[in-house]
Amino acid sequence: MPLIPNTSNTDKRWWKEGVVYQIYPSSFKDSNGDGMGDIPGIISKLDYIKDLGVDIVWLSPFYASPQVDMGYDISDYQDVYGPYGTVDDVKELIQGCHKRNIRIIFDLVVNHTSDQHAWFKESRSSKVNPKRDWYYWRPAKYDEQGNRMPPCNWRSCFGGSAWTWDETTQEYYLNLFTPEQPDLNWENEDVRKAIYDNAMRFWLDLGVDGFRIDVVNMYSKHLPFADAPITDSSSAWQLAVELFCNGPRMYEFLEEMNSSVLSHYDVMTVGELPCTPEPEAVLRYVSSSAKKLNMVFQMDLVTLGFGKNEKFETTEWNLLQFKAFLDKWQCFINGNDGWTTIFLENHDQARSISRFGSDDPAFREISGKMLATFLCTLTGTLFLYQGQEIGMINAPKSWPIEEYKDVESLNFYNHVKKSTNSDEKALSKAHSAIQAVARDHSRTPVQWDSSQHGGFTTGQPWMRVNDSFSYINVRDQEHDENSVLSFWRKAIEFRKNYKELLVYGEFQLCDAENTKTLTYLKVHNDQKALVVLNFTKEEQTFMVPKEAHGQMDLVLSNSKTSSESKQLGPFEARVYLIN
Ligand code: GLC
Ligand code: CA
């Protein structure tokens, strides 16, 4: 007998239809002129966020941290990074959101801590410390020449070995990211209990409405640590995602987290799910009957054009690949009880206009509105990232490498420098790749107005403001009905007015073979919408699919063309209701 899911994906939930807006605290708004965004700065902009139509704020890490990885290296889960404010400020932020009927979720970073966390300090202090087993410690291996080697050949996500030698106790510890981010040992039950109490219940009891969960599929590693197959013969360190993502106890750990903590609150969870291309595997995380997570960020679409072995060895991508991934992840919940997410930006991605539209001044705004139409008509929970609503773009090519701050970008650049002996051509190629896809582009400060430093700070910003602030900023766009910001407001409102169709409806791709336009239907009972999007700088004609025959009413568009015309201008977007 077929299994009958206990809920279906058309069951209404606040976390399905809510629009989520991500805030990256260091770059959002500085309230005291020290050049760093902060919690009071966020509080001062809550009305702006509300006006956009946002229902849920996702706040990236604000916890105590040495900031080696911009707060994803946490040294105390229950304290706040000094420059951002205090726990009282965070409480005020929670209340400020709730007062406006906005929910707020925090980032839960529990695959690793900072090496400055008290747990790690204890763990590294001696082999017999009660917390020794809270992290992964292993003795060295030795090669034939007697050289000391890490326990296995895994490469860390930011390059180099995933193991760091510790002098005090003469052993290696595992760090899948930087050496300052040691991995917690989830196999140890005390660790899991400490995480639940310390990092989760503490904030849930203060009223937080859920979590975005960092690298949610890396807690269970394949043990014992074995070498990964050699895919890069030029390096001692090998890509090992198969060995540290989706390990054997992953589902069990998340079930436990859900039953012991999350299920006791009315909260939402969205897990970051790298390196998981199979729909069946993803469904096991997000099926509601499996009681693990509500949804995940699957990465196929946003990693389009990244190199296989190395992100910055970028390749050309095309619309056919884009559509194939879109179709796959829009449809994978059809007929089951899972749920999905929609996003093109976050703090780990370059700006979507620069990547998927065009930041050429002639097409910047129109392509931004086209992408807004796209995102607001897809099925699943919609996430947008600060600055996306005003069409912020990548930093220009003229920025020297010194303006880039992210550890991932700098590690890559330094690696190229070292391995090529500063070869000019290789360095210029690396620079171009960083200009295209580095995480830094999303981390430049939000452009509030056209005054110095884009109104982000009265002091010296921690990271240079994108030069475009004089013509891309909130102040100018707020009262301009043709601005990207006004379009986003309209598109979000439109999404809410047609939520059965747009949030919950079924996605049907129409022109899978077309390399220039993207056309799809959204269907819900007897309601139907047709979305047509031109992804190019040239005019294109579009075909009305046979399923869309009927009266076509143009209900959303980013240009002033006639609704009859089958010619689309550059990056034109239209949504028709079919009656
Ligand atoms: C996630 C975060 C990223 C961070 C990494 C390590 O991928 O989104 O910003 O660097 O985890 O915590
Ligand atoms: Ca500040």
Side-chain angles (χ1 to χ4, degrees):
M1 247 185 49
L3 267 180
I4 301 170
N6 61 0
T7 59
S8 106
N9 60 22
T10 48
D11 281 351
K12 310 262 181 312
R13 294 284 182 275
W14 63 264
W15 44 264
K16 293 184 176 177
E17 51 198 67
V19 174
V20 189
Y21 182 86
Q22 183 189 354
I23 294 181
Y24 197 65
S26 58
S27 302
F28 190 67
K29 173 72 188 158
D30 177 19
S31 72
N32 60 354
D34 67 355
M36 244 311 139
D38 46 50
I39 307 290
I42 299 171
I43 295 172
S44 73
K45 295 293 181 188
L46 287 177
D47 288 330
Y48 166 74
I49 294 169
K50 180 73 189 172
D51 281 350
L52 186 56
V54 168
D55 307 286
I56 303 162
V57 162
W58 152 24
L59 183 60
S60 277
F62 55 82
Y63 313 98
S65 160
Q67 303 289 327
V68 171
D69 187 20
M70 292 303 297
Y72 284 86
D73 48 322
I74 296 170
S75 54
D76 186 345
Y77 288 106
Q78 303 185 355
D79 203 357
V80 177
Y81 177 54
Y84 291 164
T86 62
V87 172
D88 280 337
D89 291 331
V90 173
K91 287 185 190 163
E92 198 185 319
L93 174 61
I94 297 174
Q95 285 158 8
C97 286
H98 288 171
K99 213 169 65 197
R100 291 170 177 82
N101 247 327
I102 299 175
R103 286 182 167 91
I104 178 164
I105 65 171
F106 288 174
D107 227 293
L108 181 65
V109 187
V110 291
N111 174 69
H112 44 266
T113 64
S114 159
D115 64 347
Q116 298 307 307
H117 195 291
W119 298 344
F120 188 71
K121 286 185 179 171
E122 281 187 51
S123 183
R124 89 188 315 175
S125 66
S126 106
K127 285 190 186 169
V128 295
N129 184 281
K131 291 207 171 53
R132 182 64 170 181
D133 186 47
W134 282 37
Y135 295 82
Y136 290 104
W137 293 97
R138 293 291 184 275
K141 286 200 319 200
Y142 291 88
D143 68 10
E144 282 116 56
Q145 286 81 43
N147 298 312
R148 191 185 70 218
M149 300 288 287
C152 69
N153 69 359
W154 296 4
R155 186 175 89 192
S156 103
C157 299
F158 294 151
S161 170
W163 294 91
T164 300
W165 178 249
D166 191 56
E167 285 298 335
T168 317
T169 53
Q170 300 281 302
E171 280 193 325
Y172 282 95
Y173 64 87
L174 178 72
N175 58 270
L176 293 180
F177 294 90
T178 69
E180 294 83 2
Q181 292 167 294
D183 279 56
L184 282 161
N185 177 10
W186 272 73
E187 306 284 329
N188 182 322
E189 200 184 333
D190 294 339
V191 170
R192 303 202 298 275
K193 287 204 169 119
I195 289 170
Y196 301 156
D197 265 343
N198 219 269
M200 300 180 73
R201 289 195 189 98
F202 176 78
W203 294 109
L204 291 167
D205 291 337
L206 287 178
V208 70
D209 300 290
F211 296 106
R212 174 271 186 184
I213 312 184
D214 196 55
V215 290
V216 77
N217 58 343
M218 294 191 187
Y219 310 157
S220 165
K221 282 76 171 158
H222 284 272
L223 300 172
F225 294 106
D227 278 345
I230 295 178
T231 48
D232 176 5
S233 54
S234 70
S235 170
W237 319 124
Q238 304 298 324
L239 203 64
V241 292
E242 304 285 331
L243 296 172
F244 62 70
C245 289
N246 307 311
R249 298 186 68 189
M250 215 40 261
Y251 295 118
E252 175 199 331
F253 290 157
L254 291 179
E255 262 162 44
E256 180 189 87
M257 179 194 273
N258 191 309
S259 63
S260 37
V261 189
L262 296 165
S263 62
H264 301 273
Y265 303 83
D266 175 25
V267 293
M268 70 172 263
T269 50
V270 51
E272 183 198 24
L273 197 73
C275 308
T276 311
E278 310 84 9
E280 305 72 40
V282 177
L283 191 58
R284 285 185 66 187
Y285 285 103
V286 300
S287 147
S288 82
S289 49
K291 298 193 167 49
K292 296 182 190 81
L293 302 168
N294 295 144
M295 59 194 127
V296 296
F297 297 125
Q298 205 286 337
M299 306 299 218
D300 277 350
L301 210 53
V302 291
T303 53
L304 253 185
F306 287 6
K308 260 215 177 84
N309 247 308
E310 166 54 64
K311 158 180 172 173
F312 291 110
E313 275 154 20
T314 49
T315 56
E316 289 285 316
W317 63 273
N318 61 52
L319 195 59
L320 296 189
Q321 297 166 319
F322 185 95
K323 287 184 191 184
F325 284 142
L326 173 70
D327 192 34
K328 178 174 169 190
W329 296 113
Q330 279 287 285
C331 295
F332 96 104
I333 55 167
N334 285 351
N336 59 49
D337 66 347
W339 191 242
T340 193
T341 57
I342 311 155
F343 68 104
L344 286 180
E345 288 190 22
N346 59 42
H347 66 293
D348 291 332
Q349 299 298 331
R351 291 292 179 175
S352 58
I353 291 183
S354 302
R355 291 185 68 191
F356 303 109
S358 167
D359 54 20
D360 175 335
F363 304 113
R364 178 172 50 78
E365 292 184 72
I366 189 104
S367 70
K369 293 174 189 174
M370 185 277 283
L371 292 173
T373 309
F374 168 65
L375 292 165
C376 288
T377 52
L378 293 174
T379 302
T381 301
L382 171 61
F383 289 78
L384 58 147
Y385 179 77
Q386 64 184 38
Q388 187 175 4
E389 77 278 16
I390 55 168
M392 280 177 64
I393 54 177
N394 280 8
K397 296 199 166 64
S398 58
W399 275 25
I401 202 72
E402 289 69 35
E403 300 292 357
Y404 290 83
K405 304 282 175 240
D406 179 25
V407 60
E408 183 186 54
S409 319
L410 298 179
N411 280 2
F412 174 69
Y413 194 80
N414 292 331
H415 163 75
V416 173
K417 208 167 173 175
K418 220 166 132 190
S419 61
T420 67
N421 209 355
S422 296
D423 177 74
E424 226 167 86
K425 230 167 128 195
L427 284 178
S428 137
K429 193 169 156 223
H431 193 170
S432 297
I434 288 172
Q435 197 275 327
V437 295
R439 310 196 296 182
D440 301 82
H441 300 294
S442 57
R443 301 175 180 190
T444 63
V446 170
Q447 299 161 200
W448 294 103
D449 59 40
S450 58
S451 69
Q452 202 190 17
H453 305 308
F456 163 69
T457 180
T458 52
Q460 198 53 37
W462 74 275
M463 185 180 186
R464 179 167 165 184
V465 178
N466 191 311
D467 310 13
S468 61
F469 72 84
S470 60
Y471 54 91
I472 304 176
N473 66 65
V474 172
R475 169 86 50 85
D476 287 354
Q477 294 192 23
E478 235 171 355
H479 304 290
D480 172 1
E481 61 178 42
N482 294 318
S483 66
V484 176
L485 176 59
S486 297
F487 191 84
W488 263 105
R489 286 179 177 154
K490 196 161 83 178
I492 288 173
E493 195 186 322
F494 173 69
R495 176 174 178 80
K496 291 185 174 172
N497 289 341
Y498 293 95
K499 70 178 177 197
E500 261 83 14
L501 196 52
L502 301 179
V503 177
Y504 295 99
E506 191 180 305
F507 172 94
Q508 296 174 4
L509 182 63
C510 300
D511 62 350
E513 304 300 321
N514 190 311
T515 57
K516 316 278 188 206
T517 62
L518 167 57
T519 308
Y520 49 89
L521 288 165
K522 292 298 296 281
V523 182
H524 180 75
N525 296 337
D526 52 359
Q527 278 187 305
K528 213 179 246 186
L530 172 69
V531 182
V532 287
L533 308 167
N534 180 356
F535 267 76
T536 74
K537 295 178 184 172
E538 293 84 38
E539 286 201 355
Q540 305 293 342
T541 356
F542 73 94
M543 301 277 286
V544 177
K546 64 176 185 316
E547 297 83 356
H549 282 316
Q551 190 189 317
M552 289 172 53
D553 294 322
L554 186 65
V555 278
L556 185 71
S557 136
N558 65 350
S559 354
K560 291 198 176 69
T561 50
S562 111
S563 75
E564 308 293 312
S565 155
K566 298 291 174 287
Q567 275 296 107
L568 295 172
F571 294 108
E572 186 172 345
R574 294 186 207 171
V575 184
Y576 295 96
L577 285 186
I578 312 290
N579 291 302

